[in-house]
């Protein structure tokens, strides 16, 4: 009854809200981007799309819940990355008081960061102010604070924040209390405690990383070009080593190699023959999360481009001018003189997330914050963890096999027919997502585990079947794709459920929908791993670019990217060391 | 005879050179900017212009002197600024072995630096690789070394250079010997030894300055926006103080104010009322090298924009959070709390130029390297000094008045008629440039100094006339306009005279042609000071932008600037603190 009352109150408020909003609607129809009469040509181009968008948005807004400002629950979002901005731009700010806290006042489009390293794109083209993600900037509905969260108190429901930038006021820390906290702080690079990485290698994780790496690369080239540089020293300076054969490592190697072949060789013809790009991979495949066809394709492409791939090797240490590499087969160490080392071997836990895990006895995974299927932190249900820093706990079905058997056995005959198993698999896919992966294979699995071929499964046979399905349990990868879907999902959860209650039992569980993966492999070639198969070549490369242009969150960045790409196509990349 | 022989040899070589060049010509017709078949639309647009350019260039090249590589004199150019790149792109690399040394491997278009501070333009749009200024990159005709010259030995004709960037090889210094050295190292900001300027204020001189200043401004704003910042602290952080009312100070104040009003106020509505932009000027006029009408116009414009101009005041010191200002009238000091201080009060001597001056007894000006009218350093005629770091010694005519009288008196009657003085003034304008300024006033001056009204000037009367003209002697301003003209002039000197001899007696003296001055004063308004009068308003602003677009040295930068401006017009400036 309480819940029903509350929801009635919400509806009443919504009606009231509609009136005040009607007025705002009017001023909203004047698009705020156009500040000057000179935007005419662009205006013409975007008019149709714009009007349609405003119409849709108006419609959407009218169907939204409205809650009086003083009754709104406080939602604090930590971070301004993929997960955070997708939540921010979809959460109903008519129903929640939203505050975002992040040390970066912008969102970074990470997949294109390797392009920004060499100047295929300008760094400014792939970032976007976080404040542009909330729709009613002028009404200051959302608060944004440029600060880092330093600690979370789940008991008191308070976060401590600190201005960690160069300019700080007399007081640089503050507290925020919340009803719901969303932790979307991402991850940090993983060095596997390798000696010298922090001191001597570069990461490709932040926009500052890209700028510093770019200037380092150009500095190596200019130094190699000086008359006082010996031949050995020149070769060392012109050796670019990328550690890690995942997508970021591969793309960075490809972009650096493009830069060398297309631009540096042209302006520094004397250096051309001494330039070398190497990639060190611990396993024997590049892009080993992609299909094998793609690994092979990438290896071949790198061979053709003279990128020196060193397989089955581990970096032991990175000294100032030398990397020590261990050959995993011979177990021998050898030195590799280098000028630039890029470290890209995966991610580890953000310090804040680490602290949160340590403070909650319910948390036992050391690699990410464990959540339920609604992304609620285990042990602190008012805290959500999304994106790289969270991981959804997946229950093994085997643990409850007897109960599940009873549930599946709808005709209560003590054994399960194929139809019963099929229906059962659909019913519980929400609770056990691992089931979803095998949904189409049920007949095959059924046949396989029906060892006595009696067309039904006994409890023991059913056990074996669940065991195999449980093995398919994998945690979701740390990608922008997952983070985006989680951000959007959580916005829906907020917009539908949490206005007045904490109860999520009627909510749908998060369901990841993998759209496929891209990677740029150099020389206008890209690979694409889809359910439908593996693709590569110029057309794929073109799709890669198109996909990333359309994925931008602002017209302004779309235009910048298109401009940057065209400019590089015509004039080449800039070689200024700024 | 020796000279004649040498020049004959040059001609012979030229003929031989033409043959080898004929082959190069062919490959040159394929424009090297187009790296890919996708440039088609741009190709179409530039084809006509491009062909005409190639035709002109071919013609020009054919008429050029060619000298065998082993016989070429070595020209070392220090710097890659306005003076240096204008020399580099015009000097005949078929006749000289040219080397450029600069710690920046790019040219910076300084007049637009204030726009880059706030993001009206991207920093990358106003810089251009120095290597793009020499025409035959692929042939590596010109050597460019990214290093700073640390000392000059005029006796041994050798310069010492040092790689002063973060990445250095085992050996980071080298020597270059030269036949001619061109010092074009520019100037450094002048702090007038004011306490705390280096530690706490920002300059607007390099691209790095612009980026650091921009991030500082945004950091102040984000800090002001935090809940832990007190009101007083917020007001301090939002106080932007520009010291210096010359063109750079005025433009920087105008750009910062635009940024605040057009962008910051929109995204941070709560901060709007606390933002203040102040400009401190020691005199009682802004832009005091421009006409008075412009000073007044600028003052009015700033008043309208609520820019707080503090006249007749001198900065005594810049502490971390407070500037101490002295009111020149009351002689009293008072504190001014500030968040950002931009220092722009003129230029002083580059350290290298200072050292050169100290090493040459013939040099007695402490503010710049003194040169003759061909820009040859006094005391070291193989060293040229151009741009901000040089100053042309102007001889007073009075010192030689008796000789000049005899020269002017063509009919040898012991007195000078108006015609004689007119003809004389034209004849010697090359030697005494001050005469040129008065060329049109000769009749008036003649009448004025013909005290006994006998229609001729006696020696004493002539003396008084020369005295007045000598007073018109001023050193050239430290501007890009002067530097550009000097660079081009020196290229002509090299291309016409210095191939085999050091003799410049047949060369024309440098002649500065002032084209007028622009300044941006905010809100799409600019002022223009021409011989024809003073202009301002939207049309002037439009001309200002057009002029700077067409003055770019590359199509690529022109396109970038046009794109940046359009983007800001439509979407506003970026507020990301990178
Ligand atoms: C070079 C590169 C290329 C990639 N390419 C792809 C790709 O092609 N496809 C793909 O799907 N994925 C890609 N990824 C992975 C993808 O970027 C991440 O999975 C994604 O960014 C995770 O999103 P997130 O929101 O969890 O974290 P992030 O996007 O990393 O955002 C974390 C945010 O938290 C903020 N933050 C950090 N600490 C604090 C704190 N203490 N308090 C408050 N805020 C804090 C940060 O400033 C940041 O805004 C790539 C990653 C990199 C580095
Ligand atoms: C913000 C700003 C706005 C301006 N606006 C205008 C304007 O609108 N119109 C106008 O006419 N003028 C303007 N000026 C003035 C103009 O920029 C200078 O007069 C001009 O740059 C001088 O040219 P230069 O070649 O002498 O020196 P610079 O252009 O300063 O170049 C000096 C070069 O020397 C290099 N260098 C320094 N030390 C060494 C060393 N030890 N060894 C080797 N190389 C060295 C530097 O890296 C640089 O490349 C402006 C200046 C600034 C700072």
């Amino acid at each position: 009854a309480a819940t029903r009352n509350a929801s009635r109150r919400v509806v009443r408020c919504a009606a009231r809200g509609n009136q005040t909003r009607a007025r705002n609607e009017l001023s909203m129809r004047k698009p705020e981007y156009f500040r000057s009469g000179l935007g005419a040509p662009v205006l013409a181009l975007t008019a149709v799309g714009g009007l349609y968008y405003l119409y849709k948005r108006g419609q959407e807004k009218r169907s939204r819940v409205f809650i009086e400002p003083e009754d709104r629950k406080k939602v604090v979002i930590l971070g301004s990355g993929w997960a955070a901005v997708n939540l921010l731009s979809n959460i109903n700010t008519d129903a929640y008081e939203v505050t975002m806290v992040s040390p970066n006042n912008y969102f970074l489009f990470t997949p294109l960061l390797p392009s920004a390293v060499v100047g295929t794109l300008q760094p400014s083209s792939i970032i976007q102010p976080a404040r542009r993600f909330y729709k009613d900037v002028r009404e200051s509905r959302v608060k944004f604070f440029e600060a880092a969260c330093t600690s979370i108190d789940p008991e008191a429901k308070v976060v401590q924040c600190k201005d960690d930038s160069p300019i700080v006021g007399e007081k640089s820390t503050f507290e925020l209390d919340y009803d719901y906290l969303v932790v979307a702080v991402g991850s940090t690079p993983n060095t596997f405690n390798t000696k010298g990485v922090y001191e001597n290698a570069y990461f490709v994780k932040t926009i500052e990383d890209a700028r510093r790496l770019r200037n380092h690369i150009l500095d190596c080239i200019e130094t190699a070009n000086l008359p006082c540089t010996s031949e050995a020293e020149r070769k060392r300076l012109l050796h670019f080593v990328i550690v890690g054969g995942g997508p970021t490592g591969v793309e960075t190697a490809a972009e650096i190699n493009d830069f060398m072949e297309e631009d540096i060789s042209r302006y520094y013809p004397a250096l051309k023959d001494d330039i070398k790009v190497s990639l060190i991979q611990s396993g024997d495949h590049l892009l080993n999360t992609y299909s094998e066809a793609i690994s092979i394709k990438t290896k071949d492409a790198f061979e053709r481009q003279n990128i020196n791939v060193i397989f089955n090797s581990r970096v032991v240490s990175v000294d100032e001018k030398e990397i020590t590499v261990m050959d995993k087969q011979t177990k021998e160490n050898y030195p590799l003189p280098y000028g630039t080392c890029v470290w890209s071997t995966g991610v580890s836990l953000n310090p804040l997330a680490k602290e949160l895990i340590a403070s909650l006895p319910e948390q036992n995974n050391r690699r990410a914050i464990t959540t339920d299927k609604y992304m609620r932190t285990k042990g602190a249900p008012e805290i959500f963890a999304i994106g790289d820093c969270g991981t959804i706990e997946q229950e093994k079905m085997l643990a409850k096999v007897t109960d599940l058997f009873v549930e599946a056995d709808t005709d209560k005959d003590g054994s399960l027919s194929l139809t019963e198993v099929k229906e059962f698999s659909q019913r519980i896919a929400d609770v056990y997502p691992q089931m979803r992966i095998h949904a189409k294979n049920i007949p095959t699995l059924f046949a396989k585990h029906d060892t006595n071929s009696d067309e039904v499964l006994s409890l023991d046979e059913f056990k074996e079947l669940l065991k195999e399905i449980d093995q398919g349990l994998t945690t979701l990868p740390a990608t922008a794709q997952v983070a985006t879907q989680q951000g959007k999902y959580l916005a829906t959860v907020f917009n539908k459920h949490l206005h007045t209650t904490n109860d999520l039992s009627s909510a749908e569980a998060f369901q990841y929908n993998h759209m496929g993966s891209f990677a740029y492999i150099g020389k206008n070639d890209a690979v694409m791993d889809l359910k439908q198969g593996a693709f590569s070549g110029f057309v794929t490369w073109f799709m890669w670019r198109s996909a990333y242009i359309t994925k931008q969150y602002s017209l302004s960045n779309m235009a910048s990217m298109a401009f940057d790409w065209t400019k590089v196509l015509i004039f080449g990349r800039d070689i200024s060391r700024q």
Side-chain angles (χ1 to χ4, degrees), chain A:
Chain A
T3 326
R4 220 183 278 159
N5 257 339
S7 72
R8 216 177 298 141
R9 191 168 138 237
V10 171
V11 173
R12 193 164 19 93
C13 296
R16 231 198 291 162
N18 269 332
Q19 293 165 13
T20 49
R21 254 193 343 278
R23 260 174 282 133
N24 295 343
E25 220 89 286
L26 272 175
S27 69
M28 260 176 48
R29 277 173 214 288
K30 181 164 138 261
E32 52 183 294
Y33 296 122
F34 294 89
R35 282 209 314 241
S36 145
L38 283 161
V42 184
L43 208 131
L45 273 169
T46 49
V48 179
L51 285 175
Y52 179 72
Y53 168 78
L54 286 175
Y55 165 74
K56 284 285 278 186
R57 193 170 131 191
Q59 246 192 354
E60 199 185 293
K61 275 197 107 179
R62 266 180 289 277
S63 68
R64 274 195 197 169
V65 172
F66 178 89
I67 294 180
E68 287 299 332
E70 59 278 14
D71 294 333
R72 290 178 194 166
K73 289 191 185 172
K74 289 179 185 160
V75 177
V76 173
I77 304 172
L78 303 180
S80 56
W82 283 98
V85 300
N86 276 289
L87 167 58
L88 180 63
S89 52
N90 291 295
I91 193 172
N92 177 5
T93 51
D94 279 341
Y96 294 97
E97 186 187 318
V98 180
T99 305
M100 178 177 268
V101 179
S102 173
N104 297 316
N105 73 355
Y106 55 84
F107 161 74
L108 166 63
F109 196 95
T110 46
L112 292 171
L113 201 54
S115 302
V117 169
V118 299
T120 311
L121 288 170
Q122 292 294 321
S124 55
S125 304
I126 58 164
I127 63 177
Q128 194 177 341
R131 287 184 178 78
R132 287 226 171 139
F133 284 91
Y134 40 94
K135 289 177 182 138
D136 309 293
V137 174
R138 282 179 308 184
E139 296 171 34
S140 27
R141 289 277 188 97
V142 175
K143 289 204 196 89
F144 178 91
F145 297 130
E146 198 200 65
C149 172
T150 50
S151 79
I152 300 169
D153 183 342
E155 284 292 309
K157 296 206 204 161
V158 160
V159 290
Q160 299 288 338
C161 303
K162 187 174 187 310
D163 184 355
D164 68 349
S165 64
I167 308 299
V168 292
E170 270 161 11
K171 191 160 174 291
S172 64
T173 59
F174 59 95
E175 282 187 1
L176 294 173
D177 55 337
Y178 62 82
D179 293 303
Y180 295 113
L181 178 70
V182 182
V183 184
V185 294
S187 50
T188 53
N190 197 344
T191 66
F192 299 101
N193 291 323
T194 311
K195 217 184 93 217
V197 175
Y198 277 113
E199 295 80 359
N200 302 310
Y202 286 83
F203 301 114
V204 188
K205 187 83 177 134
T206 67
I207 204 78
E208 182 61 18
D209 287 343
R211 196 184 325 275
R212 284 177 53 238
L213 175 53
R214 178 187 155 78
N215 283 339
H216 179 99
I217 291 172
L218 287 166
D219 201 353
C220 284
I221 287 164
E222 289 292 0
T223 302
N225 185 51
L226 293 182
C228 53
T229 304
S230 69
E231 201 190 319
E233 191 74 351
R234 185 165 64 242
K235 288 201 163 131
R236 175 184 76 75
L237 287 162
L238 297 176
H239 190 197
F240 303 91
V241 181
I242 290 92
V243 184
T248 304
V250 163
E251 290 189 335
T252 307
E255 291 276 1
I256 291 180
N257 196 59
D258 280 2
F259 187 39
M260 296 301 144
E261 298 220 339
E262 295 169 7
D263 305 279
I264 299 300
S265 302
R266 183 162 153 244
Y267 287 104
Y268 307 77
L271 302 184
K272 199 154 64 182
D273 298 331
D274 291 331
I275 294 174
K276 188 163 136 193
V277 178
S278 298
L279 190 151
I280 302 178
Q281 164 69 326
S282 58
D284 51 9
H285 278 81
L286 293 175
L287 298 178
N288 56 19
T289 57
Y290 291 52
S291 76
E292 179 142 11
I294 283 185
S295 296
I296 293 169
K297 164 78 199 167
T298 307
K299 181 170 161 269
D300 290 350
F302 275 20
E303 251 163 37
R304 258 199 320 279
Q305 294 173 45
N306 286 319
I307 298 177
N308 170 35
V309 185
I310 307 171
F311 284 110
N312 296 311
S313 298
R314 210 169 63 74
V315 170
V316 178
S317 68
V318 182
D319 297 319
E320 206 193 320
K321 300 181 174 186
E322 214 173 75
I323 298 173
T324 305
V325 182
M326 187 188 76
D327 185 315
K328 278 178 152 181
Q329 274 144 355
T330 64
K331 302 275 173 216
E332 260 164 47
N333 288 356
Y334 62 95
L336 204 65
Y338 78 98
T340 304
C341 176
V342 181
W343 192 269
S344 164
T345 59
V347 295
S348 73
L349 204 58
N350 174 295
L352 182 72
K354 194 180 274 178
E355 220 195 88
L356 181 65
I357 290 173
S359 75
L360 295 170
E362 293 84 351
Q363 295 281 328
N364 45 30
N365 180 341
R366 301 283 124 200
R367 301 188 54 198
I369 302 169
T370 309
T371 68
D372 65 13
K373 59 196 172 187
Y374 312 109
M375 251 89 72
R376 285 186 300 203
T377 299
K378 270 185 75 180
E382 290 88 6
I383 302 179
F384 293 84
I386 54 178
D388 280 7
C389 65
T391 190
I392 302 171
E393 187 176 50
Q394 291 170 310
E395 275 176 89
K396 293 211 169 187
M397 294 184 287
L398 209 56
K400 296 199 177 164
V401 63
T402 9
D403 292 353
L404 293 177
F405 188 83
V406 173
E407 209 205 307
D409 186 14
T410 37
D411 63 3
K412 308 287 167 208
D413 67 350
S415 66
L416 306 178
S417 68
L418 177 57
T419 322
E420 280 175 333
V421 175
K422 269 187 182 169
E423 284 170 4
F424 165 77
S425 77
Q426 278 154 18
R427 263 198 323 273
I428 61 151
D430 248 21
V431 186
Y432 298 102
Q434 63 265 50
M435 194 52 121
R436 197 171 291 125
I437 303 165
H438 291 278
K440 285 190 188 142
N441 293 337
I442 293 294
T444 326
L445 285 171
F446 187 94
K448 178 175 167 194
H449 292 286
D450 179 17
T451 36
N452 57 2
S453 302
D454 62 355
E455 309 270 303
V456 290
L457 296 188
S458 67
L459 178 61
D460 277 354
E461 286 169 341
F462 186 59
K463 221 181 221 170
E464 290 305 309
L465 180 137
L466 292 193
K467 208 182 207 172
E468 177 161 354
I469 294 178
D470 274 345
Q471 276 164 8
L473 266 182
T474 48
T475 53
L476 292 173
T479 64
Q481 224 179 112
V482 171
T484 300
Q485 293 183 21
Q486 291 185 336
K488 285 184 182 160
Y489 164 81
L490 194 54
T492 322
V493 170
F494 273 111
N495 295 351
K496 283 198 190 150
H497 301 279
L498 298 166
H499 303 116
T500 52
T501 149
N502 288 340
D503 183 17
L504 283 185
S505 53
S506 67
E508 264 181 81
F510 172 70
Q511 190 175 326
Y512 173 60
N513 178 15
H514 186 68
M515 318 277 279
S517 315
F518 272 117
Y520 178 62
I521 58 170
K523 302 259 150 228
N524 300 354
D525 194 354
V527 291
M528 183 165 61
D529 198 359
L530 297 185
K531 271 174 242 161
Q532 291 80 358
F535 299 89
S536 68
F538 186 79
V539 173
T540 308
W541 170 79
F542 197 77
M543 286 177 62
W544 172 72
R545 286 211 163 172
S546 311
Y548 282 159
I549 279 231
T550 53
K551 271 189 195 165
Q552 295 302 310
Y553 292 102
S554 75
L555 258 179
S556 146
N557 281 17
M558 285 182 201
S560 299
M561 282 171 50
F563 179 78
D564 291 350
W565 278 332
T566 311
K567 197 175 136 188
V568 167
L569 212 56
I570 301 174
F571 303 105
R573 297 174 188 83
D574 189 10
I575 55 162
S576 310
R577 183 178 68 85
Q578 298 175 36

